[in-house]
Each structure stands twice: as C-alpha cells, then as structure tokens.
Amino acid sequence: MIKVSVLYPKTPESTFDISYYRDNHMALVRDRLGSACKRTAIESGIAGGAPGEGPTYIAMGHLYFDSVDQFQATFGPHAEEILGDIPNFTNVQPTVQISEVIE
C-alpha cells in the first residue's frame, strides 16, 4: 500500500479553510478517484515539536492506494479539476510526498 500525502506549509501569510477542504475538496477527490482510493485522512496542524512553536504544516491530506501506478492512473484524468480547486481553500502551494506504508 502507498500513501499520497499533500502537505500545506504554514507561513505567516498562509490561509486554509479546513471546513471547505473537508466538506468539498476531499469529497471531490474521493468521488473522482473512486474505489481505487482505499481511504483518506485529514490533519490540521496545531503545534511544532518545541513548546510555543507553530506547526510546520497548516494542514495535510492523505490518500491511500494499492500502488503508485493505481494512483497515477486514477488521478491523472482528474488532475486539472482537483488541482484547480486548491485556490478555493488555501493560498499556499502544497508539497506532495508518496510513501510506502509498512505495517
């Protein structure tokens, strides 16, 4: 299994509408990716590692697939629509990390 993590950096100027992300964007993602996307998770950053330190990421979204090929095959046809929705909930450019899930 692989996990696609979409990381939204926290900056002094960053904005992020977590309600829109949860209720609209991730619903769009799940609908377009269908059963190939095994599950999703959303995290909202609240703090860094040191006392009083802010979070590195304002939010993170995670998508789980059986393989990278499966992710690419299902995401590709919908990439323009999904990526085009980003300005509706944030003003930051996300970073994407694909990881193998080891259990």
Side-chain angles (χ1 to χ4, degrees):
M1 178 165 285
I2 61 112
K3 176 174 70 170
V4 179
S5 297
V6 185
L7 312 168
Y8 297 89
K10 172 73 173 146
T11 68
E13 301 82 28
S14 61
T15 60
F16 199 93
D17 184 341
I18 196 74
S19 295
Y20 182 95
Y21 187 71
R22 180 193 62 223
D23 299 336
N24 300 98
H25 184 73
M26 288 300 271
L28 169 70
V29 170
R30 284 189 298 272
D31 180 65
R32 298 306 185 264
L33 301 181
S35 63
C37 183
K38 303 304 179 192
R39 65 183 163 118
T40 62
I42 298 170
E43 298 177 33
S44 180
I46 57 172
E53 184 178 65
T56 302
Y57 298 101
I58 194 168
M60 294 177 267
H62 307 286
L63 312 171
Y64 294 81
F65 294 84
D66 286 332
S67 69
V68 173
D69 290 341
Q70 192 174 53
F71 162 67
Q72 291 172 338
T74 57
F75 183 80
H78 306 288
E80 186 175 339
E81 180 183 17
I82 292 169
L83 298 176
D85 190 46
I86 291 173
N88 291 324
F89 58 87
T90 189
N91 63 346
V92 297
Q93 181 66 38
T95 298
V96 176
Q97 167 82 29
I98 299 177
S99 305
E100 180 178 7
V101 176
I102 301 169
E103 297 184 40

